[in-house]
Amino acid sequence: MEMPEPDRSVIARRREIAAALRDIVPGEGVITSEDELKAFECDGLMAYRQLPMIVVLPSTTEQVAAVLRYCHGAGVKVVPRGAGTGLSGGALPLADGVLLGLGKFNRILDIDFDNRCVVAQPGVTNLGITNAVAHAGFYYAPDPSSQIACTIGGNVAENSGGVHCLKYGLTANNVLGVELALMNGEIVRLGGKHLDAEGYDLLGVVTGSEGLLGVITEVTVRILKKPETARALLLGFPTNESASDCVAAVIAAGIIPGGMEMMDRPAIHAAEAFVKAGYPLDVEALLIVELDGPEVEVDLLIERVRAIAADKGAVTCRTSTSEAERLSFWAGRKAAFPAVGRISPDYMCMDGTIPRKQLARVLQRTTELSTKHGLRVANVFHAGDGNLHPLILFDANKPGELESAEAFGVDILRLCVEVGGVLTGEHGVGVEKRDLMPVMFDEDDLKQQQRLKCAFDPDALLNPGKVFPILHRCAELGRLHVRGGQTPFPDLPRF
Amino acid sequence: MATVFRPRDAGEALEAVRWALAGTHALDVAGAGTKRGLGRPINGEYALDLSGLAGITLYEPEELVLSAQAGTPMAAIEAALVARHQMLAFEPPDLGPLLGQPANAGTIGGTLACNLAGPRRIKSGAARDHFLGVAAISGRAERFKSGGRVVKNVTGYDLCKLLAGSYGTLGVMTDVTVKVLPRPEKTRTVLLLGLDDATAVKALAAALNSPHEVSGAAHLPPAAARRSAVSYVSGAGRAVTAIRLEGPGPSVAYRCEKLRAELAVFGAVEELHSHNSTALWRELRDVARLVGESNRAVWRLSVPPMAGPGLVAALGRVLDVAAFYDWGGGLIWLAVAGAADGGAAAIRGALGDGHATLMRADPAVRAVVLVFQPQLPALAALSRRVKENFDPRGILNPGRMAAGV
Ligand SMILES: Cc1cc2nc3c(=O)[nH]c(=O)nc-3n(C[C@H](O)[C@H](O)[C@H](O)COP(=O)(O)OP(=O)(O)OC[C@H]3O[C@@H](n4cnc5c(N)ncnc54)[C@H](O)[C@@H]3O)c2cc1C
């Protein structure tokens, strides 16, 4: 993975740029010392690091707009950053770019129970929103595992998911509006406390745009009342195949659980060793299926899922009978990433999504690829929506292992696309999957996506080097190649 | 009479767009044309009729996914889904009759291009939220695709969302993939009678703020209730406030009982069962019957739910209006009589957060009134730039949404 060649002439103007930014954001808000810049050198994809040229931490929308307007005029690149928990390198700094951190935007602006929404600044954490409304029995549904740290602005930028998205939708389905500062310093509001856009659904494309279209300075999300009860089933299976069949059968039976997660043998063992959740160790695959709603419904669906699981050959089947027990089922799943971190010096988390019916086949092929690349793999993932998270274990200190891990990851993602799936389900393309985009999209597809970018940021100053493998200039993308059309196509029916 | 091109496949559609691009001919892009009366009139010399691109190409009920060519009739999709106890959860309305067209004649492409959604919008989202993948032809006469066939996908910009609600102005969709969901096993509707608008919306908020997973929350003031074909509703002689619950039988029964108890503070609580319940939600979804006389201009207002009644009351003081509410008060269907501009100036003047779309009016009115909510300059300019980047010569439904868009 190569980043675009830094522009020496911009780096040469560093002092002048920092001074101009200090005029906009006075005091501590502009960081230039190497010690302090270091805190921003990477996001959650720690294999890639780069010191930013300057960090700026504005605290008002006007300051954000002014920073962007200045950078636009001065031809300086900008990388937005929330909490830096992203796993695809979306917030990776640029040597010739300003890193714009939204950490100071940490206030909830409005809690509106009657209209069932919360208006928050983008730096508020995902869990911060739920915490602000929990006293009244409400919550914000999308729940990435990183929810204590990741920001709502970052969630919108990545269209993040979580365990509960199977039933309650992704970020995109739960965001009502944003305020967005464009690279030219203009501010637009998309959506609000009402539903649906009044023109083009720009909110829909900004969600998941990975900081390439604008800087989100305010977010309105919908909140939901907590279900009356939630219970979980812990199901153990003798093979990955039988567990995968069970997942497909539950959905096919018309049941959409609150969450349906799967772990394979290596993940079960790592998690059990770490948190002693009481997981069975003699199974190949574990499913955690959570049903939520009124008690009568939960009880009914638990029985249905239990019957399906038995039919698919489950060898353990436990149903939570208390809140403590339900949480214990989840404890291992929630700690799975750090648990894997304990058994390997490094790991890399992949994120492809596949049609559910391909789960068994893809897991089987992943095992074969593990042998081929000589690296272990553990699988912990959102089975209900086919979103895989193979964790590739490696040791970056051993020569060649990082490269092998990357090659392994590429093979897995190609496989996902081959079986009808996609490169990334929730972590984003960033720099990590950038060069794989042509596996899924042809040149015209990618060019049209970039034309959307041209409408927002024609000079490609906002987060360049991310998402798109080849950066075309907007002038080139705008050129029309008019072909044919002379003959009035004799075969086409006309009336 | 415009010349109509009716391609039989995506290749022919591409050929037609290429031809239009070469000569800068505006194309009136449509599926079955049932919603041609929606938006600003185009008056193009050429029309691109996509109804020949028909057929379900993939339906995997156990994967909750369906792909079809864009011109596939909604009726065909409905029939396939019903056979497997599934549905499009956004409850696509059939606006044909509202717009003076036949019922049940629309296409999947048209439904998605207008991003329409029925009463279940509040629980399950709009068309955009179920639109997983697309293949389309841009105004540059280039094919492009976006999305896929899986529910969770963040690979590149979500152009499905952009095309949903673009009224054919950004691309000619040829193939679409949507998420489908299981049909609820049981449905019941709780009714409150005789509430004024403001109290009704408070009752709806109470229901929506409960954990009972309400999937429809509407209010019919007396005049609208009288028009219902459900005799229980029309015969009530009063306003009718309706709350829908769906799910497995025992769950619906339980939630219904709880909700009735919780809403008792708003007065007597009644219930509608099975086919009466289905009929009422269909009327609410399709609008035509409940807005009354066909000579009235009809507006669709999307506002913060609690703002609905105040807005309608304010408009009632300056216009001859009849209204009913869906989406817990957040969606207002407003029928206006006797105003030369269809009521545009008054409505847009009174509107705070939200937007108003003129859904039905004479072409003469639609040609001069802004059919879609006007945008602030920065947003309008951004929308125009989006249009230019998809359709630089303005050949796809030019001006359908706004001048230059
Ligand atoms: C342990 C762990 C578990 C995780 N679990 C999940 C999970 O379950 N589901 C999931 O989906 N993700 C998960 N993630 C990934 C990550 O937490 C999410 O992508 C999250 O949304 C990123 O938020 P952030 O604030 O950290 O954003 P950052 O990492 O700072 O930024 C992410 C991207 O968003 C852009 N951005 C950030 N803020 C803004 C803004 N205000 N305006 C414009 N662009 C902006 C950045 O430029 C960058 O491209 C996990 C990460 C970790 C480390």
Side-chain angles (χ1 to χ4, degrees), chain A residues 139 141 143 163-169 224-233 255-260 289-302 305 320 323 326 330, chain B residues 123 211-213 246-248 251 254-255:
Chain A
Y139 73 115
D143 53 345
V163 166
H164 284 97
C165 291
L166 179 58
K167 181 168 174 184
Y168 298 101
L224 296 176
K225 193 72 174 228
K226 263 188 116 74
E228 285 180 353
T229 42
R231 284 171 74 198
L233 290 141
I255 301 168
I256 310 289
M260 182 148 58
V289 185
E290 180 163 297
L291 283 312
D292 62 11
E295 208 170 313
V296 275
E297 176 173 330
V298 171
D299 291 351
L300 181 83
L301 296 181
I302 289 256
V305 173
S320 70
E323 190 58 9
R326 182 183 74 88
W330 281 113
Chain B
K123 175 161 182 272
H212 306 316
E213 300 200 52
E246 299 176 313
S251 169
Y254 164 84
R255 285 183 280 145

Side-chain angles (χ1 to χ4, degrees), chain A residues 80 82-86 90 102 145-146 151 155 157-158 160-161 210-211 214 216 426 463:
Chain A
T85 66
L102 290 137
S145 317
S146 50
T151 67
N155 289 177
E158 297 285 10
S160 299
E210 306 193 21
I216 297 154
E426 58 180 15
N463 219 0

Side-chain angles (χ1 to χ4, degrees), chain A residues 152-191:
Chain A
I152 191 68
N155 289 177
V156 175
E158 297 285 10
N159 189 13
S160 299
V163 166
H164 284 97
C165 291
L166 179 58
K167 181 168 174 184
Y168 298 101
L170 306 163
T171 302
N173 314 112
N174 289 279
V175 176
L176 295 171
V178 296
E179 179 187 71
L180 187 75
L182 302 181
M183 191 64 215
N184 65 8
E186 286 179 331
I187 298 166
V188 295
R189 296 191 77 88
L190 310 173

Side-chain angles (χ1 to χ4, degrees), chain A residues 43-44 79-92 100 102 122-123 143-147 149-163 180 209-212 214-217 219 333 337-338 347 351 382 387 389 425-428 430 463 466, chain B residues 152:
Chain A
D43 64 5
V79 177
R81 176 184 166 110
T85 66
L87 293 173
S88 54
L92 178 70
L100 194 163
L102 290 137
D143 53 345
S145 317
S146 50
Q147 67 183 152
C150 66
T151 67
I152 191 68
N155 289 177
V156 175
E158 297 285 10
N159 189 13
S160 299
V163 166
L180 187 75
S209 64
E210 306 193 21
L212 269 72
V215 176
I216 297 154
T217 50
V219 183
R333 165 64 184 94
F337 285 25
Y347 69 86
D351 175 45
H382 311 300
N387 185 197
H389 285 331
E426 58 180 15
H427 294 166
N463 219 0
K466 320 288 171 72
Chain B
K152 230 168 155 189

Side-chain angles (χ1 to χ4, degrees), chain A residues 113-116 138 158-159 161-162 167-168 170 172-173 182 184 186-205 208-210 212-213 222 225-228 248 251-252 254-256 292-294 296-297 300-301 304 353-357 382 385 387 420-429 437 440-442 444-445 448-449 451-456 467-468 477-485 487-489 491-495, chain B residues 2-8 12-13 15-16 18-19 21-22 46 60-64 115 117 121-123 126 128-129 138-159 161-162 164-166 169-170 179 181-182 185 204-205 208-213 246-251 254-255 258 262 300 302-307 327-328 353-355 357 372-375 378-379 381-387 389-390 392-393 401 405:
Chain A
F113 289 118
D114 282 340
N115 288 311
R116 293 165 295 284
F138 284 83
E158 297 285 10
N159 189 13
K167 181 168 174 184
Y168 298 101
L170 306 163
N173 314 112
L182 302 181
N184 65 8
E186 286 179 331
I187 298 166
V188 295
R189 296 191 77 88
L190 310 173
K193 290 184 179 181
H194 59 277
L195 293 171
D196 297 334
E198 69 261 29
Y200 293 144
D201 186 0
L202 301 181
L203 176 59
V205 284
S209 64
E210 306 193 21
L212 269 72
L213 298 184
R222 81 176 177 141
K225 193 72 174 228
K226 263 188 116 74
E228 285 180 353
I251 300 286
I255 301 168
I256 310 289
D292 62 11
V296 275
E297 176 173 330
L300 181 83
L301 296 181
R304 287 188 194 171
T353 304
I354 55 168
R356 277 173 289 259
K357 66 174 178 191
H382 311 300
D385 33 35
N387 185 197
V422 300
L423 295 172
T424 171
E426 58 180 15
H427 294 166
V429 176
M437 288 291 269
M440 227 178 111
F441 296 113
D442 66 26
D444 280 349
D445 300 337
Q448 196 52 48
Q449 297 218 11
R451 288 193 190 99
L452 177 69
K453 161 101 170 146
C454 292
F456 284 80
V467 182
F468 298 108
L477 289 166
R479 221 167 283 144
L480 265 179
H481 304 279
V482 182
R483 293 163 293 203
T487 43
F489 40 92
D491 291 340
L492 192 58
R494 306 179 180 210
F495 299 86
Chain B
T3 304
V4 180
F5 301 124
R6 189 175 293 160
R8 286 161 298 200
E12 287 188 351
E15 208 184 323
R18 195 173 280 161
W19 172 83
L21 177 68
Y46 300 94
E60 293 179 1
E62 65 293 347
E63 292 279 328
L64 307 180
N115 189 33
R121 170 70 180 93
I122 45 173
K123 175 161 182 272
R128 70 182 296 260
D129 298 293
S138 71
R140 307 173 50 88
E142 286 162 357
R143 287 199 219 194
F144 66 93
K145 60 181 183 302
S146 178
R149 51 159 295 181
V150 293
V151 279
K152 230 168 155 189
N153 178 10
V154 293
T155 322
Y157 301 132
D158 189 350
L159 299 185
K161 294 222 165 53
L162 186 65
S166 70
T169 61
L170 296 179
K179 167 173 153 182
L181 281 171
E185 290 170 26
L204 294 177
L208 287 164
N209 281 349
S210 77
H212 306 316
E213 300 200 52
E246 299 176 313
S251 169
Y254 164 84
R255 285 183 280 145
K258 286 282 265 193
E262 287 164 26
R300 179 180 181 273
S302 178
V303 298
M306 299 311 283
W327 299 358
D353 178 5
H355 52 88
T357 308
F372 293 92
Q373 181 71 24
Q375 297 177 322
L379 182 54
L382 177 58
S383 299
R384 259 196 315 277
R385 293 197 298 271
V386 171
K387 167 75 174 177
N389 274 286
F390 278 74
R393 291 206 179 153
M401 297 185 76
V405 173

Side-chain angles (χ1 to χ4, degrees), chain A residues 9-10 12-23 54 70 74:
Chain A
S9 70
V10 170
R13 286 191 284 142
R14 183 168 181 261
R15 260 164 183 281
E16 162 207 327
I17 295 166
L21 293 174
R22 281 204 178 91
D23 285 343
I54 301 168
Y70 166 75

